[in-house]
Amino acid sequence: MWHPLQAEFPQQQPLTGFLRGPSEIKTGEAIGIVTCGSGCIRPVKESASGWLETAFYDPRKHAKLVVMGRKNGMPLLLRLAKRGEAKAEDWPNLRSWLLESDAESFDLLATAASLANWQEQHRYCGRCGCKTQPRNDEYAHQCPRCHLRQYPRVSPCIITLVWREDALLLARSPRFAPGVYSTLAGFIEAGESAEQALHREVEEEVSVKIGNFKYLGSQSWPFPNSLMLGYWAEYQGGDIAFDGIEIEDAQWYPFDQLPELPAKASISRYLIDSFLRWKGVDS
Ligand SMILES: [Zn+2]
């Protein structure tokens, strides 16, 4: 019998050929540049990926770009969009672009978006206020005065499909595309375990009790820096109730009467599809 933990979700596979972190780049070396910022990405029409610009490394032009790593040996650099650039040139929204990307592009673009947010938001030391400098041996900024190191921020979140014997609990937030229902999600608070966050978030959002957690996998979601930890959770009791603000609707859906679901590349959809496969239902 098919088992959910043997299921393939692209983000559970290693990103082959990609070495993360800075490295020394020689003048004249072939490089790839991705440009993003303000939640948008600069399209590059002439590239196969649609987003990677190629160039030869020139320290006068490229020394200030962020080195993401090397893909099959080629340095990948990140350029932060200038203020107003994305709007003036009508760049596409990175969120929707990501969900239509293949798994490899998803990983690289999620890395670029996370690093771009970090660069934009952590330019000064949080302890003494001095302007920080990038380190050349790891993803980190260091304060030249007090030596505090800051690393790209990753915020763990839980995301969970709540199920019972004959139905799935799906909800929608006002931020979703019209008609789309999804799984429940929320940030893990300081000092909290993932399991405690599952109990708390689901109770806060829809007032039901859950248990019997099964971890299915994770996905980076760089808006601005989430790491989604995906679970199934079995319903244990209570009636659905929600606040109408964060959650505008939540219902039990029988397996054969599901509403419109999130994009295929999202972990929420993976949680739903893998559950239905486990139950032997075609989705
Ligand atoms: Zn400092």
Side-chain angles (χ1 to χ4, degrees):
M1 188 186 171
W2 180 82
H3 189 278
L5 296 178
Q6 292 163 356
E8 283 199 3
F9 182 54
Q11 272 71 47
Q12 289 173 216
Q13 311 304 319
L15 177 50
T16 45
F18 186 57
L19 283 177
R20 289 174 189 278
S23 63
E24 194 183 337
I25 305 171
K26 294 189 179 73
T27 300
E29 199 174 344
I31 57 172
I33 304 172
V34 50
T35 304
C36 62
S38 311
C40 296
I41 179 159
R42 178 174 174 269
V44 180
K45 285 202 184 76
E46 60 274 21
S47 83
S49 64
W51 49 268
L52 194 65
E53 179 189 342
T54 48
F56 294 100
Y57 189 72
D58 176 349
R60 289 168 302 178
K61 277 201 239 169
H62 304 126
K64 291 212 163 149
L65 305 188
V66 181
V67 184
M68 291 168 52
R70 283 178 182 259
K71 175 68 182 158
N72 298 329
M74 183 175 79
L76 292 186
L77 283 76
L78 166 68
R79 180 168 83 75
L80 284 183
K82 296 186 199 88
R83 191 181 287 264
E85 192 180 3
K87 200 169 177 194
E89 295 182 8
D90 198 21
W91 293 356
N93 176 288
L94 183 54
R95 190 184 289 254
S96 29
W97 189 309
L98 258 189
L99 289 174
E100 284 163 24
S101 296
D102 60 30
E104 183 177 304
S105 291
F106 187 108
D107 288 343
L108 293 172
L109 291 175
T111 304
S114 295
L115 292 174
N117 287 323
W118 174 58
Q119 293 284 324
E120 281 174 338
Q121 295 168 8
H122 293 82
R123 293 179 297 144
Y124 295 91
C125 175
R127 186 156 59 194
C128 77
C130 196
K131 198 164 173 47
T132 55
Q133 293 168 344
R135 285 182 61 88
N136 58 16
D137 60 345
E138 57 181 350
Y139 289 152
H141 278 190
Q142 187 152 11
C143 174
R145 188 192 294 161
C146 78
H147 307 299
L148 181 73
R149 268 186 219 184
Q150 302 186 99
Y151 294 89
R153 186 164 158 189
V154 178
S155 301
C157 295
I158 53 88
I159 180 162
T160 185
L161 174 66
V162 179
W163 63 276
R164 65 181 193 199
E165 206 41 56
D166 58 348
L168 305 179
L169 200 170
L170 298 171
R172 59 170 283 112
S173 137
R175 296 176 288 109
F176 290 179
V180 172
Y181 280 69
S182 186
T183 52
L184 299 168
F187 286 103
I188 299 177
E189 300 286 0
E192 195 174 44
S193 69
E195 292 77 8
Q196 288 165 343
L198 284 164
H199 287 295
R200 178 184 53 74
E201 275 290 339
V202 170
E203 182 136 20
E204 279 175 13
E205 292 193 350
V206 292
S207 291
V208 306
K209 303 266 188 212
I210 54 170
N212 189 21
F213 303 139
K214 189 176 282 293
Y215 176 72
L216 268 287
S218 65
Q219 182 175 52
S220 168
W221 188 241
F223 303 102
N225 48 41
S226 297
L227 174 64
M228 312 304 294
L229 307 175
Y231 291 83
W232 294 345
E234 189 174 5
Y235 170 73
Q236 308 273 301
D239 294 326
I240 293 177
F242 47 87
D243 63 5
I245 302 166
E246 197 178 342
I247 299 289
E248 67 176 17
D249 191 24
Q251 295 181 42
W252 287 109
Y253 286 95
F255 302 153
D256 59 351
Q257 294 169 43
L258 296 177
E260 195 175 335
L261 298 173
K264 279 271 183 196
S266 64
I267 192 164
S268 49
R269 182 62 177 270
Y270 167 66
L271 294 174
I272 297 167
D273 287 351
S274 60
F275 185 84
L276 295 173
R277 283 173 62 192
W278 180 58
K279 284 285 179 190
V281 181
D282 287 332
S283 57

